[in-house]
Amino acid sequence: MTGSTPLAWLSTLEKAALVSGASTWETRPVPRAGLPALVLTDGPHGIRRQLGASDHLGIAESAKATCFPPAATVANSWDLDLAREIGEALGREAAEQEVDVLLGPGLNIKRNPLCGRNFEYFSEDPLLAGDLAAAYVLGIQSRGVAACPKHFAANSQETARMTSDSVVDERTLREIYLTGFERVVRSADPWALMSSYNRVNGSYANESVFLLATVLRGEWGFDGLVVSDWGGSNDAAAAVAAGSALEMPSPGFGSVREVLDALASGRLSEADLDARVEEIRRLAERTAASGAAPATDEAVQHGLARRAAAESVVLLRNEGGLLPLAAGTRVGVIGDFAETPRYQGAGSSLVNTRNLVTPLEALAASTLDVAGFSRGFPRSGAADPALVTEAVALAKDVDVVLLYLGLDELAETEGRDRATMAMAPAQLELLEAVAAVNQRVVVVLAAGSPVEMPWLSHVAALAHGYLGGEGGAEGMVDVLTGAVNPGGRLAETYPVVLADVPGSESYPGESIVEYREGPFVGYRYFSTVEKPVRFPFGFGLSYTTFAYSDLSVTSDGARVTVTNTGTVAGSDVVQLYVGRIGEGIPRPRRELKGYAKVRLAAGESTQVEIPFDEYTFRHWSTRTGAWEVETARYAVEVGANVADLPLRAELDVAGTCEPDTAAAAALPHYASGDVRRVTDAEFELLLGRPLVAAPSGKRDLGLNDPLGAMSSARNPLARWAAGILHGRLRKSEAKGKPDLNMLFVLAMPFRALAKMTNGAITTPMAEAIVRIVNGSTFGGLGALIGAWRRSGRDAKELAREFERLSTGAPGAAATNPSDRHES
Ligand code: BGC
């Protein structure tokens, strides 16, 4: 790649063709300008490089790769060095596989425990999510591979993800849903970023001038490339104008025509197109060295995957110090997950794992005396009495039961949210039976997001491995045996029951998703209204204990001493929360504003410093349209988790504005945090505009309605087609494995037909299909055939011309006079 090649002299057609992909994973090359085809690949916790059949849903096979623990798991480590190391390892493998852009990390906020993709995201807190994501980005990019944080923004559910509108007030949007991205962009300078499928306050994220132009580039100074999510582009020209440079995967030349037409009509300026092309060129320049990587060492990569898993285990219960288990302890291993582990989620992130070790294998290689294994329950469906009887017999005969439970494959997948936070009844029945005959049950849990635990008091210990990646089972055994002292701390709240989560009654939303709870997400809600939880944000036990002392706070930051008061070495995460004292704009009582991971020998003490920065006291003021700091007294609390903060100091901060007491009076439920009682009028006031009801009743479908909506279409043929699609999905779910393709197709809007079919269907054809669906069978069919003929011919001509120009084939100079200046 010749970095200095001026692209200004490229023909308009070449430029228009550059802003959409050539195939599922590649961009269009322009050889005569030295622009290569760039390879983009999932991500985020391993490389999913497909060399044969390709898809963006984790269906067709990809090359073998190391499967690191997903983001939800590593988040529990609160360890930025570890995150960076994983990023470097990912970058190394990506470079080895000639990948230019790794599509991750994902850092959407966990707004609700049911989001099907929570396993791919870090936290409910933007500071923690943003810092971890930044560490990944720095690691990945240190290998010459672009990272691509995603999905920007307010994409916190899978249901209707391609068509829904996230309705969220600007303050909440900025403070909760954008701050993580802001931290990544400002501190790690990602070379690429993926917009989300959904709309945000009415505009599709991929063409949102507010998100892409005003905030991302204007305020944060992002100079990388924005890529659409796969099939997530709505209006090609609007995307280019707003700042999105690459429509993926491969909309064909229909999309190129849309860009050319928009230029001709003046709806799109040449300057905007040039800016996007320059972003593509810059990305190619930045990733130019990515292919020249030495081979990675599988054993080293696996070792890191194992260590990452071990460092991320969260010990949630350990009655009587049952764990760690001494060498030679006679254990009975029970649970299907011990034989067939769940160690990653399903969907586009699915890695074709290189060196998976199962719990049974890891235990066999450990110091423990494994007396036997019993499956205990079927993966899906009702409990099996024979399996329970067999498991109970084993449980009676051993010192300790290791009970491997978890969420099944259906529960955690892209494209689908969970329907419940409860664990499968078959597992609960087994747990009850086993716990009745053995007091020493250790539950080893595999789940990328929280579950309800009404059974907790019946078991002696609970070690949560989340989804551990290929070395997860070994990492867990390291913790069970005490080779590693657990240092994981929850990066999200575990509510007692789902119904405790604000907004759970309406989650997931359909076409309009109201973020009524405002900033009171996760612990920000529970801690403000003092509602009990199962496990608070930041919680995790250790085989040692820690004490905090000598908190001193100045305007620059806090200092605190941490002491390991136990008898073994261990790590701790000292957490610092800030909250304004007295009246002012409605705010959560405490918000995480800093933390420090420390490793201490038994009896050792250290002083940690947690600096304050521009994020510590700020809030977004809709009055001034800027970040402001209320002049007020703030509480600074330090401790082990959000519900255990033994040290407290107060600090007077001279800010930029006076506390706005009028806002609190006008928004009483936001002021108290009791956001479940927010009225329409109060939410409208927070939003600053009236609410719009979702369309209901019988109506014509439009380009932006999902294909699944054909169930209520006028045309009986469309209803029949929808019935078939829904039926296929149901069938796959009954088998315990969702058909991801079907899920995607049903959620996909008609317009995406023109974005996902490599040009076979164009936007005018998709419009004609919608006419047919709406009952205008013959008119629609005529339009479809006409559009097919016209756009087919046009696309072929454009493709031919692009090929000729971009390769510098004979005749190219005639249409591109400035070629003559090249020497
Ligand atoms: C996902 C993205 C992913 C892309 C490519 C989409 O369905 O939302 O996260 O990177 O596919 O596979």
Side-chain angles (χ1 to χ4, degrees), residues 62-358:
S62 50
K64 290 263 182 204
T66 312
C67 179
F68 292 97
T73 312
V74 177
N76 295 325
S77 74
W78 295 57
D79 187 336
L80 302 184
D81 295 334
L82 177 66
R84 182 173 172 135
E85 240 184 289
I86 296 172
E88 282 167 13
L90 286 167
R92 218 177 293 133
E93 268 186 54
E96 188 189 11
Q97 299 204 32
E98 303 191 337
V99 170
D100 297 292
V101 182
L102 183 57
L103 301 173
L107 66 146
N108 292 98
I109 291 293
K110 300 184 195 210
R111 180 175 171 239
N112 184 288
L114 297 188
C115 175
R117 249 179 136 172
N118 274 353
F119 71 90
E120 276 193 67
Y121 303 144
F122 292 106
S123 179
E124 65 190 26
D125 182 85
L127 167 72
L128 187 57
D131 285 2
L132 286 159
Y136 270 77
V137 170
L138 290 172
I140 293 167
Q141 295 191 165
S142 72
R143 304 288 153 172
V145 173
C148 185
K150 63 189 186 183
H151 310 87
F152 189 62
N155 174 201
S156 293
Q157 64 170 54
E158 289 300 286
T159 306
R161 62 176 170 158
M162 298 182 84
T163 47
S164 61
D165 186 4
S166 299
V167 175
V168 50
D169 67 281
E170 186 176 354
R171 207 188 123 206
T172 300
L173 181 62
R174 286 178 173 273
E175 292 182 15
I176 305 292
Y177 296 96
L178 300 187
T179 291
F181 285 99
E182 177 180 4
R183 292 181 81 90
V184 180
V185 170
R186 288 194 196 274
S187 67
D189 193 16
W191 300 337
L193 186 121
M194 188 189 294
S195 59
S196 58
Y197 281 128
N198 52 291
R199 300 179 208 230
V200 180
N201 292 325
S203 300
Y204 277 102
N206 192 52
E207 61 198 46
S208 164
V209 173
F210 170 74
L211 286 177
L212 303 187
T214 307
V215 176
L216 178 66
R217 290 190 200 281
E219 294 176 19
W220 305 343
F222 178 73
D223 72 349
L225 168 140
V226 174
V227 57
S228 77
D229 199 345
W230 268 229
S233 167
N234 171 54
D235 175 332
V240 170
S244 179
L246 186 57
E247 233 189 311
M248 289 301 285
S250 48
F253 277 80
S255 217
V256 179
R257 168 58 66 207
E258 285 172 35
V259 172
L260 291 173
D261 286 352
L263 283 168
S265 70
R267 197 162 79 83
L268 176 66
S269 74
E270 192 96 26
D272 279 339
L273 180 60
D274 285 349
R276 303 296 83 84
V277 170
E278 169 56 19
E279 285 148 19
I280 295 169
R281 187 203 65 75
R282 194 178 304 139
L283 180 66
E285 186 177 77
R286 285 169 158 171
T287 58
S290 66
T296 53
D297 181 331
E298 275 186 40
V300 172
Q301 301 284 95
H302 182 80
L304 175 58
R306 172 182 183 156
R307 177 156 57 85
E311 292 290 330
S312 305
V313 169
V314 193
L315 182 64
L316 290 172
R317 185 175 168 86
N318 194 15
E319 288 303 287
L322 175 58
L323 295 176
L325 301 175
T329 305
R330 199 174 137 76
V331 297
V333 184
I334 298 177
D336 191 48
F337 293 92
E339 191 174 40
T340 313
R342 272 216 57 239
Y343 60 97
Q344 63 174 333
S348 62
S349 67
L350 194 86
V351 174
N352 184 4
T353 307
R354 197 145 55 179
N355 288 313
L356 177 67
V357 178
T358 70

Side-chain angles (χ1 to χ4, degrees), residues 380-456:
S380 56
D384 178 335
L387 290 180
V388 175
T389 308
E390 181 193 294
V392 166
L394 176 61
K396 278 184 183 158
D397 183 43
V398 292
D399 290 340
V400 172
V401 172
L402 296 179
L403 184 55
Y404 280 79
L405 303 179
L407 288 174
D408 64 22
E409 284 72 9
L410 260 180
E412 292 184 283
T413 178
E414 177 175 344
R416 190 175 185 277
D417 298 307
R418 271 190 299 167
T420 167
M421 227 180 100
M423 287 173 60
Q427 294 184 40
L428 299 184
E429 250 177 69
L430 173 80
L431 186 150
E432 206 180 309
V434 166
V437 300
N438 192 318
Q439 305 293 299
R440 291 153 62 89
V441 174
V442 179
V443 169
V444 179
L445 192 60
S449 37
V451 292
E452 288 167 0
M453 299 175 179
W455 41 265
L456 187 66

Side-chain angles (χ1 to χ4, degrees), residues 782-813:
L784 181 62
I785 294 168
W788 174 68
R789 280 213 185 109
R790 270 191 312 280
S791 39
R793 222 173 14 233
D794 186 43
K796 256 189 217 141
E797 272 166 27
L798 286 178
R800 219 177 295 124
E801 181 67 358
F802 171 70
E803 175 71 12
R804 192 173 65 78
L805 288 171
S806 60
T807 54

